[in-house]
Amino acid sequence: NAGVTQTPKFQVLKTGQSMTLQCAQDMNHNSMYWYRQDPGMGLRLIYYSASEGTTDKGEVPNGYNVSRLNKREFSLRLESAAPSQTSVYFCASILTSGGETQYFGPGTRLLVL
Amino acid sequence: KQEVTQIPAALSVPEGENLVLNCSFTDSAIYNLQWFRQDPGKGLTSLLLIQSSQREQTSGRLNASLDKSSGRSTLYIAASQPGDSATYLCAVSNQAGTALIFGKGTTLSVSS
């Protein structure tokens, strides 16, 4: 089991460029999440998907879109990157049967110039 | 709105010391509480998960307690080691399968 994997590990963008962050899990989990982590702010939820085919906004969704491609994959897209989106992005997943530990990927470090 | 606070923000101790990290939350109607460890530049590793019906969980030198009524949890680390140096994050879930609400973490440094 690879657990939760994320690509790329690091990315530099110019303002206005677009990119997609990829996340995949091989644990047959139902729910998947995208968080961002900023110094002094902790981790904040961007979007989540409770099950295949559904997505919902979290605390800080502006400037992002998501796609739950299938049960394994959940991607995060920045259509027009802004310096305020410089952050570390974490994907996570959970089985959703109740009482389960949430598993995190290694993160993607994004720098927007 | 649920808010999670961790005190202290940073802690430095000599090797071998027992220590306690604190976590408080504003809404006692939680589903579960998790403690994570994060090493610099790395992802989050789950340490302990406490269900709302439980009072504590133990794993090796770690013991986490939960007092829902007072909105508090503690992470006790026994006989600290330099390898315990990391940031420790507390997070609560309000419902099954929902996203976690995180505190800002306590950065621990254990000196040899």
Side-chain angles (χ1 to χ4, degrees), chain B residues 40-94:
Chain B
K42 303 293 185 181
L44 281 69
T45 300
S46 180
L47 297 173
L48 290 163
L49 168 71
I50 309 177
Q51 303 293 348
S52 61
S53 58
Q54 297 175 324
R55 297 284 292 180
E56 66 178 349
Q57 283 287 342
T58 297
S59 176
R61 295 182 293 108
L62 305 179
N63 176 276
S65 67
L66 174 64
D67 184 343
K68 271 185 56 176
S69 60
S70 67
R72 295 178 186 275
S73 176
T74 62
L75 179 66
Y76 175 83
I77 302 177
S80 59
Q81 303 171 357
D84 294 330
S85 298
T87 295
Y88 292 81
L89 296 163
C90 170
V92 300
S93 171
N94 288 340

Side-chain angles (χ1 to χ4, degrees), chain B residues 12-67:
Chain B
S12 293
V13 300
E15 182 177 5
E17 195 162 296
N18 302 326
L19 58 101
V20 174
L21 307 182
N22 296 294
C23 172
S24 61
F25 44 95
T26 54
D27 185 350
S28 62
I30 63 170
Y31 184 74
N32 62 36
L33 182 144
Q34 295 183 47
W35 283 93
F36 293 88
R37 169 182 173 140
Q38 186 176 30
D39 293 292
K42 303 293 185 181
L44 281 69
T45 300
S46 180
L47 297 173
L48 290 163
L49 168 71
I50 309 177
Q51 303 293 348
S52 61
S53 58
Q54 297 175 324
R55 297 284 292 180
E56 66 178 349
Q57 283 287 342
T58 297
S59 176
R61 295 182 293 108
L62 305 179
N63 176 276
S65 67
L66 174 64
D67 184 343

Side-chain angles (χ1 to χ4, degrees), chain A residues 31 33 35 37 40-45 48 50 59 90 94 96-107 109, chain B residues 1 31-32 34 36 38-46 48-49 51 87 89 96-104:
Chain A
S31 299
Y33 310 85
Y35 297 89
Q37 184 177 36
M41 299 294 292
L43 279 95
R44 294 177 291 169
L45 181 69
Y48 69 99
E59 181 183 354
F90 289 101
I94 190 171
T96 329
S97 62
E100 297 287 341
T101 297
Q102 198 162 116
Y103 292 87
F104 281 76
R109 283 152 186 77
Chain B
K1 177 185 175 185
Y31 184 74
N32 62 36
Q34 295 183 47
F36 293 88
Q38 186 176 30
D39 293 292
K42 303 293 185 181
L44 281 69
T45 300
S46 180
L48 290 163
L49 168 71
Q51 303 293 348
T87 295
L89 296 163
T98 59
L100 295 172
I101 301 165
F102 282 86
K104 296 180 180 179

